[in-house]
Amino acid sequence: MKALEQRLAGGGGRTVVLTVAAAALGWLAVLPLLGASDSTLLTMTLMFTAVAVAVNWNLTGGFTGYVDFGHAVWFGVGAYVTAIMMSLQADGVGTHWPPIPAIVLGAVVAGVLAALIGRATMRLKGPYFSVAMLGTFVAMREIVRTWGGLTGGGVGLTLPPYLNRPLFYYLELALVVGLVAFVWWLRRTRFGAALVAIREDEIGAQMRGIATTRLKVATFSFAGASTGLFGGLWAYQNTFVDPDVAFTEVRTLDAVMGTLLGGLGTVAGPVLGSVVLYWLREVLWANLLDYHLVAQGLLLILVVLFMPKGLMGLAGRGGPSLLKVWGDGRSRSRGGEVAHRGEEAAEESHPATPEPAGAMMTVEGSRITKRFGGLTAVDRVDIEVGAGEMVGLIGPNGSGKTTLFDCLSRILSVDEGEIRFDGRDITRLAPHKVARLGVSRTFQVIRVYRDLTVRENMELSIQWGRIGVRGLFRRTDEATRAKAERLMAFLMLDGLSDEPAGTLSGGQRRLLEIGMALMSDPKLILLDEATSGVNPTLVEDIKDRLTAVNAQRGVSMLLVEHNVQFVADLSQRVIVLDTGAKLAEGSPSQVMEDQAVIEAYFGADAAAAAPGGAREPSDGAGEQ
Ligand code: ADP
Ligand code: MG
């Protein structure tokens, strides 16, 4: 197995794959000319349909990480809209539309419904989303069954016959090749990269300025429309729809299985897997009769357990495993806390150079309060950071520092108080918009996109507000690449640029987060324990880099630290929190000598010990 992996992963692998793909396409192109029977052409057309549905499923399930158990609903919707528009009903009512507009309308209705339903269900994550979509599927089938006047109820609808199989064959072949080419291109644009960022860490992506809701719902809607299109084509060829054939869960299952078999989250995986699955079944169907579903079930289990990255994984080009994408849902579901509400206005433009604006405050929070149930984690805190200023924020573990950061970057909604950034009220602004105004942050629990390389992580952390819709559909430009290279060199990461971020040491990941924070030319960086888990030499390097960034670019910083000496060295002013409230504020030396601070921070016993030393508090909360 390993030897095969290495062979395929090498430079020759790509040539082999391309040659096989070209040969297969050539064969498919001439198949009808070689006198293939209508039933062979129908079999092939149904295979194209299965491939298309799997490719669409993979857009949300594989790239974006939203595993959809109800995807076949869009197939049914497309099929039914087409059937309703074209059907010849017994009583003579019916619209008798010609096929093309009917099929296109089916795709549009599926796309619009997917946008509306995705808007609601994509607030959920992991298994919750999967089950919500399964529910949507079942509900839609029952609606169709019940709404007899329009849909023919359980009896179904008959369409005018149409028997030009070769035409359908070529049409679907062209559509499926076009779809795969489109997905291949999309994955290489910033849009495609952003989808992967959503899968890897949705909250991190928001806080780096990606309009996650808009992108994931747009993708879901496109996948729905595309599957709806193939549903309409299928209805026309089948000349008959009823709830059970148009809405069958097997179609979703096949898409999931085909994608997993081929390779989740890759472009070629769903194509390869669906084709293999389709032929396996044709063979198994013929030879195993009633046992073919058992065989298919066993195959699925074997793939998930022993080939988690599918056939593409064998070729060294695998994406993530299902368990990672799906299981992560729970740990990521703190997204339920995400405060941003529905509407996302049009992109706003920002001045290209974030010049510090005189004596104006960069960020000004007044009486910020955040409660978790009965616990007041942040209690009426006033906090200001001036333009170009470096301010330290210290306090014992659990005193509310991270929560205050979450409020300032707006992933948590504040219960009371007001936050202004650059004079603008951001108290209710969505997190990605706050990022786009010029707020970057790093995280106590490091948030890098682990499956992506260091370079990809950097290139994904651009100023998203500035690229516009067209920029979204382009590849990373030269200037951004050069900037990423410069910053990687500045942060001593240049030797690691092609390594997946998940393989870096804790300290290197901290540096990468700082690099990502700098990529968007922020005006303010919120650093949450940028030195915890980092070895002492690297701490000195980080200190040095932060000082340079502040001096050269006038970036303001708010530093949360356990390492008191680090804060004292870097900050002009220090704010001390204790149990959510501000305990003291002043110059580092003033604060370190404050009796209340010493007691709160080091405990009453230590109050007599030398103040202002480079001591770390004893709570030892240097977790990653
Ligand atoms: P710090 O960063 O200063 O160590 P935190 O802001 O992480 O402190 O936590 C402040 C308090 O709020 C702690 O008591 C913590 O247990 C609590 N807390 C933080 N996040 C949540 C949450 N999502 N739900 C409930 N309580 C929370
Ligand atoms: Mg914290």
Side-chain angles (χ1 to χ4, degrees):
M1 202 75 126
K2 275 271 168 277
L4 177 68
E5 269 177 45
Q6 278 164 6
R7 285 265 292 284
L8 288 171
R14 193 182 182 82
T15 325
V16 172
V17 171
L18 286 179
T19 314
V20 171
L25 262 187
W27 180 72
L28 288 172
V30 296
L31 186 66
L33 308 175
L34 300 176
S37 68
D38 271 7
S39 81
T40 308
L41 292 186
L42 177 62
T43 304
M44 297 302 288
T45 311
L46 292 176
M47 184 185 83
F48 299 155
T49 305
V51 169
V53 175
V55 169
N56 291 329
W57 184 85
N58 184 50
L59 279 174
T60 44
F63 291 145
T64 325
Y66 279 77
V67 176
D68 181 355
F69 283 171
H71 186 69
V73 69
W74 313 122
F75 192 90
V77 168
Y80 256 95
V81 170
T82 303
I84 290 167
M85 297 319 285
M86 288 181 66
S87 70
L88 306 165
Q89 286 171 18
D91 52 9
V93 279
T95 24
H96 309 273
W97 274 26
I100 292 174
I103 292 168
V104 170
L105 183 70
V108 170
V109 171
V112 170
L113 271 181
L116 294 175
I117 288 175
R119 183 93 222 176
T121 55
M122 289 184 118
R123 288 166 195 268
L124 304 171
K125 301 240 155 116
Y128 304 103
F129 169 76
S130 308
V131 170
M133 286 314 300
L134 186 60
T136 305
F137 169 80
V138 173
M140 192 69 84
R141 180 168 61 193
E142 292 320 304
I143 289 171
V144 166
R145 209 193 295 279
T146 318
W147 199 351
L150 187 67
T151 64
V155 179
L157 294 170
T158 306
L159 290 84
Y162 182 80
L163 295 171
N164 190 342
R165 293 275 176 232
L167 187 67
F168 260 109
Y169 174 92
Y170 279 121
L171 181 63
E172 294 213 12
L173 177 61
L175 284 172
V176 86
V177 169
L179 177 65
V180 174
F182 172 75
V183 171
W184 178 84
W185 166 80
L186 188 71
R187 176 63 189 85
R188 273 150 190 79
T189 64
R190 292 194 181 105
F191 189 107
L195 295 184
V196 177
I198 292 174
R199 177 185 81 205
E200 295 288 305
D201 179 1
E202 185 160 351
I203 293 180
Q206 278 173 7
M207 282 189 280
R208 296 191 177 105
I210 298 177
T212 55
T213 306
R214 205 184 311 166
L215 299 196
K216 72 191 182 188
V217 173
T219 306
F220 190 68
S221 169
F222 170 82
S226 173
T227 291
L229 179 73
F230 281 87
L233 288 165
W234 169 84
Y236 187 28
Q237 289 181 88
N238 202 49
T239 68
F240 171 72
V241 295
D242 77 14
D244 293 317
V245 290
F247 290 88
T248 164
E249 36 301 62
V250 173
R251 225 179 291 282
T252 307
L253 203 61
D254 280 356
V256 178
M257 271 195 68
T259 306
L260 292 181
L261 180 62
L264 184 71
T266 63
V267 177
V271 182
L272 190 63
S274 299
V275 170
V276 170
L277 182 69
Y278 198 81
W279 290 110
L280 267 180
R281 190 168 40 211
E282 290 290 301
V283 174
L284 294 174
W285 200 293
N287 297 327
L288 289 174
L289 297 171
D290 289 346
Y291 296 105
H292 70 273
L293 278 178
V294 178
Q296 223 174 302
L298 279 176
L299 178 69
L300 179 61
I301 293 170
L302 291 177
V303 167
V304 170
L305 287 181
F306 298 109
M307 224 171 59
K309 297 188 171 194
L311 296 169
M312 295 298 286
L314 294 184
R317 294 171 191 283
S321 72
L322 175 69
L323 294 180
K324 186 199 157 213
V325 167
W326 206 44
D328 261 0
R330 211 172 319 156
S331 63
R332 291 185 308 177
S333 66
R334 201 179 159 190
E337 292 263 14
V338 170
H340 84 249
R341 40 212 74 215
E343 256 350 282
E344 289 159 350
E347 318 267 74
E348 291 148 71
S349 57
H350 306 295
T353 42
E355 287 301 323
M360 198 160 81
M361 284 300 155
T362 301
V363 71
E364 265 180 291
S366 55
R367 301 179 69 76
I368 300 176
T369 304
K370 178 68 198 175
R371 297 184 200 94
F372 294 113
L375 173 83
T376 306
V378 177
D379 193 2
R380 286 164 295 172
V381 171
D382 291 325
I383 187 166
E384 287 177 350
V385 181
E389 197 182 11
M390 290 175 99
V391 177
L393 180 63
I394 62 173
N397 199 30
S399 57
K401 306 179 296 292
T402 298
T403 306
L404 181 59
F405 268 22
D406 287 347
C407 291
L408 292 175
S409 54
R410 291 284 304 120
I411 52 158
L412 286 178
S413 54
V414 294
D415 294 318
E416 278 159 43
E418 194 186 46
I419 307 166
R420 300 184 81 79
F421 179 74
D422 255 358
R424 176 179 169 173
D425 186 354
I426 61 162
T427 320
R428 309 250 167 267
L429 207 61
H432 72 275
K433 290 188 184 163
V434 173
R436 288 172 182 204
L437 289 177
V439 180
S440 278
R441 71 176 281 192
T442 68
F443 302 90
Q444 181 174 355
V445 180
I446 301 178
R447 287 180 179 274
V448 293
Y449 309 118
R450 288 168 163 262
D451 268 7
L452 300 179
T453 64
V454 169
R455 179 183 286 113
E456 287 172 314
N457 268 276
M458 294 291 285
E459 289 178 359
L460 264 170
S461 305
I462 50 170
Q463 175 46 273
W464 288 87
R466 239 179 264 157
I467 59 169
V469 177
R470 286 169 73 202
L472 205 51
F473 292 101
R474 297 241 166 92
R475 292 188 184 202
T476 300
D477 56 289
E478 259 322 303
T480 307
R481 278 174 198 280
K483 183 173 171 187
E485 294 298 332
R486 266 201 317 277
L487 278 173
M488 285 189 289
F490 176 66
L491 294 167
M492 302 157 294
L493 292 168
D494 40 348
L496 299 163
S497 45
D498 292 316
E499 300 294 324
T503 63
L504 303 187
S505 73
Q508 289 164 335
R509 271 186 268 157
R510 295 256 174 227
L511 286 169
L512 173 57
E513 271 208 326
I514 293 173
M516 292 164 79
L518 289 172
M519 275 298 284
S520 60
D521 295 326
K523 293 179 193 171
L524 170 71
I525 307 183
L526 309 171
L527 291 142
D528 199 348
E529 309 211 358
T531 64
S532 83
V534 175
N535 77 50
T537 16
L538 208 50
V539 169
E540 286 307 306
D541 285 325
I542 292 180
K543 194 193 279 181
D544 174 62
R545 298 302 187 265
L546 292 178
T547 314
V549 167
N550 174 257
Q552 291 160 15
R553 308 184 191 203
V555 180
S556 316
M557 294 187 198
L558 188 56
L559 308 147
V560 163
E561 270 307 328
H562 267 298
N563 182 338
V564 178
Q565 188 62 51
F566 186 86
V567 174
D569 288 351
L570 281 178
S571 325
Q572 289 114 40
R573 189 155 56 85
V574 176
I575 295 168
V576 187
L577 287 188
D578 186 31
T579 60
K582 197 196 275 183
L583 184 67
E585 180 170 359
S587 71
S589 53
Q590 277 172 347
V591 164
M592 300 301 165
E593 278 154 23
D594 188 316
Q595 201 59 26
V597 172
I598 296 168
E599 271 176 39
Y601 216 72
F602 299 111
D605 295 346
R615 302 183 42 175
E616 297 214 16
S618 51
D619 59 35
E623 76 266 35
Q624 291 277 306

